[in-house]
Amino acid sequence: MNDSFKKLGINDEIDSILKSIGYVTPTPIQEKTIPFILEGKDLIGQAETGSGKTAACAVPLVQLVDRKVNDIQALILTPTRELAIQYLNEVSSIGKPYGVKAFVVYGGFDIDIQMAKLRDGVHILVATPGRLTDIMYNRQFPLDSVKTFVIDEADEMMKMGFIEDIDFIRKCMIHRHQTLFFSATMPPPIKKLARKYLKEAEHVKLTGRRAQPENLNHCMVSVSSRDKEKALREFLAQEDISQAIIFCNTRRRAEQLAKKIKEFVGGTDFLHGGLKQHQREKILRSFRNRKIKFIITTDVMARGIDVQNVSHIINYEVSQNAEIYIHRSGRTARMGEEGVSVSFVSSGEKEKFEEIKKVSDMNKDNFKKIKYRPSRKKPRL
Ligand code: ADP
Ligand code: MG
């Protein structure tokens, strides 16, 4: 009998729920953080992409809920809607059989329906900061039973745009509560800012120099910007790919590229933050169900999204910085699987890529460079 979740302080009932969903052995981050969380400590949990940070938090949170109290006892904030839904699914799969009610609020979905559900009684709430702030500005929305406040993808959330909303939400919780930050990356200035939110926090850091899994490989395709589209088409046609996520830096570029690629390559679709919410969900579902093979997208999909079958990440445009690269690449090589992150680098992007290469642990064992040569035109008749 394997009782390792139990060794961490998890009770029998939750342990058997975990077994039933295939979580028999805790991952390293789960092993390190679960005892601290159960003790009520503040914490920064840092571990590579795809290492089980969601359950590291969700499992103890479910156990900490007092099921007799019909109020929100844990609040989790995530940077994107898709991630909020995914987080809810993880919490629900553990919490529902245990009698813990979880719910999610995010933009692009009817606010009155969300409010009705909230009034119904929710123990664990997952939210995007913008929507939660909207709700709290306009309505009575008590958070005084919240015992644990969680910020997922903490470094992203501490950036401009989110920080004001998060500050506002936090100020509505003046009572003593536990605060947990999770991410694969935590650049020093952001960490300093994060510290303000935490009291005598434990810092569990399992990334060392790396925020990326060991079984992730990297490839640079050097290609002129003129040939990029053709190179991508050929790459998608020739390479042995189970599924791929292709990243562009803007919505416009992603959409334009998708339209062109679709003409030649079947099973392609695009996803970005400008689409209607139901479309976003539908496309992600089709991708997860493997009805779509290639998804062309923006960094809305770079953070946290858990997908199982992705063999290739393609950086069609080099990302703005190394953190984004790490998170994009982190959509493959999850939980011990193999994966490769391929970057199409034009001469104008070389410098930026070299910068990323330096800080994201690419070396002779995990990195290769190829030069794209356009396939020869067919001779004219
Ligand atoms: P991270 O947030 O670190 O990127 P996730 O929380 O999204 O990683 O988890 C990655 C995958 O691992 C998910 O598909 C999840 O279901 C699975 N997983 C998490 N914990 C365990 C476990 N203890 N045993 C088996 N699979 C797990
Ligand atoms: Mg995560």
Side-chain angles (χ1 to χ4, degrees):
M1 193 182 98
N2 191 316
D3 62 350
S4 39
F5 270 103
K6 286 203 261 180
K7 269 189 204 148
L8 306 176
I10 296 304
N11 67 32
D12 288 355
E13 198 180 342
I14 295 178
D15 183 63
S16 48
I17 295 169
L18 291 173
K19 284 206 179 88
S20 75
I21 61 168
Y23 295 8
V24 178
T25 314
T27 67
I29 185 74
Q30 293 164 3
E31 206 167 293
K32 288 279 185 316
T33 57
I34 288 174
F36 286 137
I37 298 175
L38 289 175
E39 274 177 47
K41 292 219 160 108
D42 281 9
L43 172 95
I44 299 179
Q46 208 182 330
E48 66 193 37
T49 53
S51 60
K53 293 189 288 296
T54 319
C57 191
V59 172
L61 284 193
V62 165
Q63 180 160 314
L64 287 170
V65 165
D66 182 346
R67 289 168 285 179
K68 296 190 291 297
V69 175
N70 212 11
D71 290 326
I72 299 168
Q73 296 169 48
L75 172 63
I76 298 147
L77 299 181
T78 72
T80 66
R81 300 168 186 184
E82 281 72 17
L83 198 46
I85 297 169
Q86 180 183 300
Y87 214 111
L88 173 84
N89 289 338
E90 183 98 345
V91 173
S92 298
S93 66
I94 305 159
K96 207 169 177 191
Y98 191 63
V100 163
K101 293 180 281 183
F103 190 58
V104 62
V105 297
Y106 51 83
F109 189 78
D110 192 282
I111 209 162
D112 292 318
I113 295 177
Q114 293 180 343
M115 278 310 291
K117 176 72 193 177
L118 285 169
R119 274 191 292 268
D120 218 31
V122 167
H123 295 128
I124 299 183
L125 180 67
V126 187
T128 52
R131 172 50 61 98
L132 185 61
T133 308
D134 272 356
I135 292 179
M136 288 169 58
Y137 263 126
N138 297 316
R139 300 150 213 252
Q140 281 251 311
F141 192 72
L143 289 177
D144 35 286
S145 297
V146 171
K147 292 186 278 193
T148 312
F149 182 39
V150 182
I151 314 262
D152 194 35
E153 304 294 342
D155 55 331
E156 175 75 0
M157 301 283 273
M158 288 289 111
K159 287 184 191 153
M160 292 293 289
F162 285 122
I163 191 82
E164 281 170 28
D165 286 340
I166 295 174
D167 261 339
F168 170 74
I169 294 164
R170 192 175 68 122
K171 284 194 183 115
C172 298
M173 295 186 287
I174 42 173
H175 61 287
R176 167 76 192 128
H177 58 269
Q178 170 186 34
T179 305
L180 310 173
F181 279 32
F182 279 91
S183 188
T185 49
M186 191 55 92
I190 305 276
K191 192 158 80 195
K192 211 168 144 201
L193 188 64
R195 287 259 175 218
K196 280 202 217 160
Y197 277 64
L198 304 163
K199 281 198 200 82
E200 292 159 26
E202 300 289 339
H203 189 173
V204 175
K205 186 167 183 238
L206 301 181
T207 47
R209 266 192 62 233
R210 258 183 330 106
Q212 313 201 69
E214 222 158 284
N215 41 9
L216 172 70
N217 288 299
H218 306 266
C219 176
M220 168 185 165
V221 180
S222 141
V223 54
S224 73
S225 38
R226 193 174 31 120
D227 288 335
K228 250 195 196 188
E229 205 179 290
K230 188 154 178 273
L232 177 65
R233 263 193 272 140
E234 291 182 7
F235 188 88
L236 298 182
Q238 285 158 17
E239 199 63 14
D240 186 10
I241 298 176
S242 48
Q243 278 182 298
I245 306 178
I246 299 147
F247 284 100
C248 295
N249 289 342
T250 63
R251 293 174 180 181
R252 206 179 125 98
R253 193 78 195 91
E255 197 163 334
Q256 277 173 344
L257 180 67
K259 283 186 178 144
K260 290 198 176 140
I261 296 294
K262 265 180 173 175
E263 285 174 29
F264 299 92
V265 189
T268 307
D269 213 332
F270 67 93
L271 171 69
H272 62 59
L275 298 179
K276 294 228 166 66
Q277 184 56 29
H278 73 271
Q279 271 176 302
R280 283 167 65 165
E281 282 165 41
K282 187 167 156 235
I283 293 164
L284 189 54
R285 211 174 317 122
S286 306
F287 188 67
R288 284 199 163 113
N289 296 337
R290 305 179 191 188
K291 288 187 187 125
I292 295 172
K293 185 168 176 185
F294 305 118
I295 195 160
I296 301 180
T297 187
T298 60
D299 290 318
V300 76
M301 275 215 32
R303 286 265 177 177
I305 296 297
D306 185 45
V307 271
Q308 314 285 342
N309 186 43
V310 173
S311 56
H312 289 68
I313 297 301
I314 299 171
N315 300 287
Y316 185 75
E317 295 179 292
V318 174
S319 61
Q320 297 304 333
N321 58 47
E323 267 91 44
I324 299 177
Y325 180 86
I326 287 167
H327 290 280
R328 284 181 176 184
S329 305
R331 298 319 102 212
T332 186
R334 298 178 70 74
M335 274 280 151
E337 297 286 318
E338 299 264 317
V340 57
S341 181
V342 183
S343 300
F344 284 60
V345 183
S346 67
S347 53
E349 293 171 308
K350 255 196 188 109
E351 207 178 316
K352 203 157 61 173
F353 184 77
E354 286 304 325
E355 233 1 77
I356 292 172
K357 184 165 174 260
K358 236 187 281 164
V359 291
S360 48
D361 195 42
M362 296 185 211
N363 55 51
K364 63 178 185 359
D365 297 322
N366 67 14
F367 174 75
K368 78 174 181 217
K369 188 169 165 179
I370 49 181
K371 196 166 165 56
Y372 171 76
R373 286 177 220 287
S375 55
R376 252 185 273 144
K377 287 194 187 116
K378 280 189 192 142
R380 288 210 185 139
L381 292 174

